[in-house]
């Protein structure tokens, strides 16, 4: 347990998909003049350096956000508004006209969108990443608006449902390092829907050759359908996974030189229950551009399905 460090993966294609969609959801939810509560069950360290030792070991951001930023700088593409919004937000966390090297994880991205009446509770269990996140939040001077809880997001979070304003978002982004994560995600969302049926549920999942990974979005669909909720399932695959070259996260590689060679994640998805009605149309052109710019072989594709 606890081998996973998001610093190896920051700014990869999965972050591009997840953070673009998350920002679009937040933009919608902060349009109404009622406060929202965001619960981030697996927050990570919060702030990463794309030129840091971990990120350079895997070089995943080269084939993710850095490729998009390069295309933006070269004016190769007119980006879809949600993608443009995400790339522009990254620039605000870096000195003007300097390369984007500071990369915000989900809690910082959420924090950047909060209005005075909104709240964020971010859960992170890894001792080092929890300490890093708490330090970053303290330095930002967020006061009581952002609370870092260095505890188990799966078991602690549902006691905060429903939030006082009855408007809220659960961001659930585990590493799936433990096989039990898949079942815990389903339990968390099921309990959430019981206690807070109108909440928005945002779940990231890997697209890998594993039965429980494959089943997770299907089970979330069934759960949402049974609860009579709208859902949106979006996915981005950048390359095919071959059986002989299965995904292995770089931090699990035995030797540092294996870290890049072992492959990297072929794809990932985000499943949203009670999504903004605008999200599907906003994400379609963004996903087309992600495939065009980040796709690595003929297997590159996106999915965008809803009920
Ligand atoms: C994929 S990363 C999160 C990345 C982050 N959401 C982002 O988008 O920037 C998953 C994180 O969950 C943490 N974690 C694993 N199990 C946890 C648990 N039960 N409760 C809270 N955090 C956990 C890991 O230490 C890791 O930092």
């Amino acid at each position: 347990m606890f081998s996973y460090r998001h610093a190896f993966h920051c700014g990869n294609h999965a972050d591009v998909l997840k953070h673009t969609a998350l920002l679009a959801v937040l933009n919608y939810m902060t349009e109404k003049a009622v406060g929202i509560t965001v619960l981030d069950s697996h927050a990570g360290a919060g702030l990463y350096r794309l030129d840091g030792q971990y990120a350079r070991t895997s070089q995943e951001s080269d084939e993710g956000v850095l490729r998009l930023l390069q295309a933006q700088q070269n004016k190769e593409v007119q980006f879809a508004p949600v993608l443009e919004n995400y790339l522009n937000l990254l620039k605000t966390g870096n000195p003007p006209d300097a390369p984007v090297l500071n990369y915000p994880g989900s809690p910082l991205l959420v924090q950047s969108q909060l209005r005075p009446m909104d709240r964020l509770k971010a859960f992170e269990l890894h001792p080092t990443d929890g300490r890093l996140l708490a330090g970053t939040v303290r330095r930002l001077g967020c006061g009581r608006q952002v609370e870092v809880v260095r505890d188990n997001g799966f078991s602690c979070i549902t006691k905060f449902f429903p939030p006082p304003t009855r408007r809220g978002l659960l961001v659930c982004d585990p590493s799936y390092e433990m096989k039990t994560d898949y079942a815990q995600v389903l339990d968390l969302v099921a309990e959430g829907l019981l206690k807070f049926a109108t909440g928005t549920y945002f779940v990231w999942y890997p697209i890998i050759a594993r039965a429980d990974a494959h089943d997770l979005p299907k089970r979330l669909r069934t759960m949402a359908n049974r609860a009579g909720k709208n859902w949106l399932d979006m996915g981005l695959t950048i390359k095919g996974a071959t059986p002989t070259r299965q995904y292995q996260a770089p931090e699990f590689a035995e030797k540092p030189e294996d870290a890049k060679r072992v492959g990297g994640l072929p794809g990932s998805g985000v499943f949203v229950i009670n999504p903004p009605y605008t999200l599907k149309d906003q994400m379609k052109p963004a996903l087309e551009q992600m495939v065009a710019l980040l796709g690595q072989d003929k297997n590159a594709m996106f999915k965008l399905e809803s009920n």
Side-chain angles (χ1 to χ4, degrees), residues 12 43 150 188 196 201 216 232:
N12 68 1
R150 294 165 66 178
L188 177 60
F196 181 35
Y201 295 83
L216 184 62
L232 179 63

Side-chain angles (χ1 to χ4, degrees), residues 98-116:
V100 169
L101 296 175
N102 292 314
Y103 186 87
S106 55
L108 260 65
L109 207 132
V110 172
Q111 183 272 333
S112 73
Q113 304 302 302
L114 297 182
R115 304 156 301 169

Side-chain angles (χ1 to χ4, degrees), residues 4 6 18-19 41-44 105-106 124-126 151-153 173:
Y4 184 94
H6 198 67
K18 173 180 58 184
H19 293 158
S41 64
H42 295 72
S106 55
E124 174 53 51
L125 197 50
H126 192 291
D151 208 334
N152 190 324
D173 178 27

